[in-house]
Amino acid sequence: MNQHLAKIRNIKKIDYNTPLLVPSFSSKGFPHVKDLHNYLKEKLTEVSLISAYDLHYEYFELDQIYESDILIIDSGGYERNQEHDISDIYNSLYIAKEWNKSLYENQVKMLQPITDIILVNFDYQEVYPLKVQVQNAKEHFEKFPVFASDFLCKPSSKNDIFIDIDNVIQCIDLFSHFDVIGFTEKELGNSIFERARSIYRVRQALTSAGLDSPIHIFGCIDPLSIALYYLCGADIFDGLSWLRFSFNGGTPTYFNHYALNYGLSDRPDNEVKILGYVENLEILAQLKSKLITFSQSSDWEDLYLSPREVQEIKLILTRIMKSFE
């Protein structure tokens, strides 16, 4: 019996199969994101993510966002909040502009179903019990029935910084209302092992409830982390680290290192980054193909990981399995 839970799953509303590795764009840390998006949009053939917050404040041109087959519209909570994601290398002071449910919904009303759109529910600053979160999301998605629903699950107590996975499992039937179930990576645990175990537990609970809904991990686009979480049952991954690091060689590195390693030391920094971004998109596409092949074969060689990486992932999966004994 395979230890992994990797599987090709379907986003039923738009009839599109996972896995999805989603290049995200944000004004947070990337003030010139409009120029960046305009330059790269023709490369975004399958899927991309932008936030309603950035649309509202015109960091993107509304008629230029429909280039990919699937467009994920995030809630804007990341841009509104002070905290940063796991891959952020700057962690500098960030001052957000006004953002609330009314501004969010007004912006969503302006979206056109030119391409398939997956909509993330509004991310409240207030903390609500999980059942209230679900009810709020249901009411929100009912206003926009043409879009696929991506429910972002948040901590349910103001004293908690992590998701209460036991509570999620107890309420797992409530998730049947949504096309996709989402979690922010950093809220799933305080270590890679804990986050992997949380994903594994949620996937098992969904399967036991007869639900095959894809799991979306927000803020995770690191290739090796994707491989681990995919084997634990996650399906959709997005993040900004593809704009912060070069993925060439499978290990995220600073763009200065990338320039030196590939003979680009005479190229301007901006040109080096653009070359790296385009290459990262190709690497993510290749990784998707590897994940699909592995999910069908369960042959570890199909992942093209190093022996050390395979050993570590297998160890994590074994530890997870033993924790249920």
Side-chain angles (χ1 to χ4, degrees):
M1 180 180 296
N2 293 322
Q3 290 180 314
H4 71 81
L5 301 179
K7 178 183 174 182
I8 297 172
R9 298 182 176 87
N10 184 262
I11 306 170
K12 294 181 180 179
K13 182 79 173 184
I14 59 175
D15 191 23
Y16 204 99
N17 287 342
T18 62
L20 288 179
L21 279 56
V22 186
S24 298
F25 293 85
S26 175
S27 62
K28 188 173 181 178
F30 302 92
H32 304 294
V33 68
K34 179 187 291 188
D35 294 336
L36 186 60
H37 182 267
N38 285 340
Y39 194 88
L40 293 169
K41 64 184 180 182
E42 293 184 0
K43 302 288 185 181
L44 306 172
T45 56
E46 183 180 42
V47 61
S48 59
L49 179 148
I50 61 177
S51 78
Y53 175 102
D54 282 343
L55 281 174
H56 174 75
Y57 286 106
E58 299 182 345
Y59 285 103
F60 298 93
E61 299 174 32
L62 189 59
D63 61 348
Q64 299 294 313
I65 63 173
Y66 304 104
E67 295 293 326
S68 52
D69 295 335
I70 299 172
L71 174 63
I72 300 178
I73 300 296
D74 201 2
S75 63
Y78 175 72
E79 286 78 16
R80 179 200 60 211
N81 296 337
Q82 290 288 336
E83 55 268 21
H84 296 255
D85 62 32
I86 289 174
S87 72
D88 199 326
I89 58 177
Y90 305 107
N91 201 25
S92 58
L93 179 65
Y94 174 78
I95 306 299
K97 301 174 184 178
E98 180 185 10
W99 191 239
N100 54 50
K101 182 181 176 182
S102 177
L103 292 176
Y104 166 73
E105 292 192 344
N106 287 339
Q107 186 59 56
V108 173
K109 290 175 183 177
M110 298 175 65
L111 296 172
Q112 300 295 321
I114 297 172
T115 191
D116 287 326
I117 292 178
I118 300 175
L119 186 63
V120 182
N121 56 290
F122 184 71
D123 180 7
Y124 293 89
Q125 284 187 296
E126 300 83 5
V127 177
Y128 293 107
L130 181 55
K131 291 183 178 180
V132 177
Q133 293 182 41
V134 168
Q135 184 59 37
N136 288 340
K138 283 176 57 182
E139 293 174 359
H140 164 71
F141 289 130
E142 287 171 358
K143 298 178 182 178
F144 308 101
V146 71
F147 304 139
S149 57
D150 190 341
F151 171 62
L152 177 59
C153 182
K154 302 292 293 182
S156 54
S157 169
K158 64 181 180 180
N159 297 320
D160 294 333
I161 60 174
F162 302 122
I163 301 287
D164 184 343
I165 299 300
D166 290 332
N167 187 29
V168 168
I169 292 172
Q170 292 169 4
C171 299
I172 204 73
D173 289 338
L174 297 177
F175 293 169
S176 64
H177 301 289
F178 310 115
D179 299 304
V180 177
I181 312 303
F183 303 93
T184 300
E185 181 189 12
K186 67 180 181 180
E187 293 176 343
L188 286 170
N190 65 355
S191 69
I192 292 175
F193 173 77
E194 285 299 324
R195 294 190 283 274
R197 185 173 184 270
S198 294
I199 293 168
Y200 198 100
R201 293 183 66 201
V202 172
R203 173 53 65 200
Q204 281 197 321
L206 287 168
T207 301
S208 296
L211 301 175
D212 207 26
S213 310
I215 294 175
H216 181 173
I217 306 301
F218 289 82
C220 174
I221 203 72
D222 166 63
L224 190 56
S225 297
I226 288 173
L228 170 62
Y229 296 155
Y230 183 69
L231 269 61
C232 290
D235 310 275
I236 303 173
F237 308 88
D238 85 84
L240 293 165
S241 58
W242 75 285
L243 296 174
R244 296 177 177 135
F245 306 99
S246 163
F247 291 162
N248 192 296
T251 301
T253 58
Y254 293 111
F255 281 108
N256 280 356
H257 180 93
Y258 168 71
L260 287 169
N261 205 31
Y262 292 95
L264 302 173
S265 57
D266 289 334
R267 303 284 188 93
D269 290 339
N270 286 340
E271 183 178 340
V272 169
K273 288 182 178 181
I274 290 295
L275 290 171
Y277 299 156
V278 172
E279 191 171 79
N280 284 347
L281 290 174
E282 295 173 353
I283 290 170
L284 290 174
Q286 293 167 7
L287 176 56
K288 171 177 175 166
S289 295
K290 295 171 185 176
L291 296 177
I292 291 173
T293 301
F294 176 85
S295 66
Q296 297 168 332
S297 70
S298 295
D299 185 343
W300 288 88
E301 291 186 1
D302 288 333
L303 290 175
Y304 291 89
L305 299 174
S306 71
R308 176 68 182 125
E309 291 167 339
V310 170
Q311 180 184 15
E312 184 63 24
I313 290 178
K314 285 184 175 180
L315 176 61
I316 291 172
L317 290 172
T318 299
R319 288 181 61 199
I320 290 172
M321 294 293 292
K322 287 183 176 179
S323 70
F324 293 120
E325 294 177 356

